[in-house]
Amino acid sequence: MAFVKETALVYCENQFGLVDGKTAAGLVRHSETYTIVGIIDSSLAGKDAGEELGDKKNNIPIFANLAQALNKLAEVPNCYIYGKAPLDACISADEKLLILEAMSKGMDIVNGLHQFFSDDREFVAMAVKCGIQIKDIRKPPQLKDLHVFTGQIAKVNIPVIAVLGTDCACGKRTTAVELNKALNSLGIKSVMVATGQTSLMQGSKYGAAMDALVSQFAIGEIENAVVRAFDGENPDVILVEGQSAVSHPAFMSSIAILKGSMPDGVILQHPPARKVRCDFPLLNMPTVESEIQLIEAISQAQVIAIALSHENLSEEAVRKAIADYENRLQLPTTDVLNYGCQKLVQALCDRFPKLNQKIKKDLQPIPLLAMS
């Protein structure tokens, strides 16, 4: 029997298309689990979600509120997803009322926050009353199901590539998702390991929400996910989604990812126009060069390509940035949303020649020189 996606309405009030709306944006762009039928953001009501992200029109409407959405949709969606990812972990009193309202309409609740809705007595009582489920994506496994590092990662004899970044919310997941799709479309079997709540919502089979784990198990959970993907899928390459940045003083996830996955290469994501850290206006952004030095100092992996975020950049500025980074760093550089993943695929095939043998005969990556 074919898998049928659940329909979902994503709540992202006043944040869709902005940094804290990255969960909603990710689900609009890609989801193997949900068919997104609408976004709730009163500031953008009436607009198309794809166009608001700077992508093509995708006919996913943006509604002012839940009542308008249910009035215009043909049927009540299966799920109501809390699609914001703020630094502050708790919802407001008004947002709690909206979630209770969604429950009353018979919608399952999907939550990616550190605040677990399934621990809230009022939510639990309403869920029982309405016969719906609460899914807390960031809720870690029980202690008996957690893993410490074992060294089993050493048996993984295919390329493991970590997609790291210079900051939070700069496009790491998007680049990993797009590259994963591109590789599979060429005949190179790629599996993506999730490390955050959005990619788990999108349907990643392997992974864990890194920032919800006790530090004792963070490295082991990543190792376990990579090993399970290797054993269970027989892939040609494994991509590991990055979190935050190695240099970021507020977060440790990138270091755990490097230690747990022991990558054979790193693709580094960077937003050239960003001057200060996301959510930390007193902290200046690092340079790409300094981030590369840190990554290569604490791991055996080398950075093999750069992926740029075009936030706050014109097309011409993106092209100039790509040329500048390629000239200065001598590394293939691209913006996957504007120009696709050909350069990244080529970089992987150049570094790991066995991948070339997996490419379908009628499909070849475009040479780097043709895209410069």
Side-chain angles (χ1 to χ4, degrees), residues 126-187:
M126 180 63 86
V128 172
K129 178 181 177 181
C130 299
I132 61 95
Q133 292 184 320
I134 298 173
K135 303 173 186 177
D136 285 315
I137 304 301
R138 260 189 172 126
K139 203 164 195 177
Q142 293 184 4
L143 183 61
K144 64 181 179 62
D145 297 320
L146 287 167
H147 301 84
V148 294
F149 185 80
T150 64
Q152 287 295 305
I153 192 71
K155 75 177 186 180
V156 178
N157 58 3
I158 60 168
V160 175
I161 307 299
V163 183
L164 304 183
T166 56
D167 197 14
C168 304
C170 65
K172 298 180 290 289
R173 185 195 66 255
T174 298
T175 290
V177 167
E178 293 301 317
L179 180 56
N180 192 55
K181 289 192 288 188
L183 289 167
N184 280 295
S185 71
L186 287 167

Side-chain angles (χ1 to χ4, degrees), residues 5 21 42-43 72 74 79 90 98 103 113 199-200 232 235 244 258 265-266 268 291 294 321 326 329 358 368:
K5 293 183 181 181
S42 62
S43 68
K72 292 191 175 182
C79 303
C90 298
L98 294 174
M103 288 183 178
L113 296 176
S199 46
L200 291 170
S244 182
L258 280 173
V266 171
L268 185 62
E291 197 71 31
L294 275 176
E326 287 191 332
L329 302 174
K358 303 291 183 177
L368 286 176

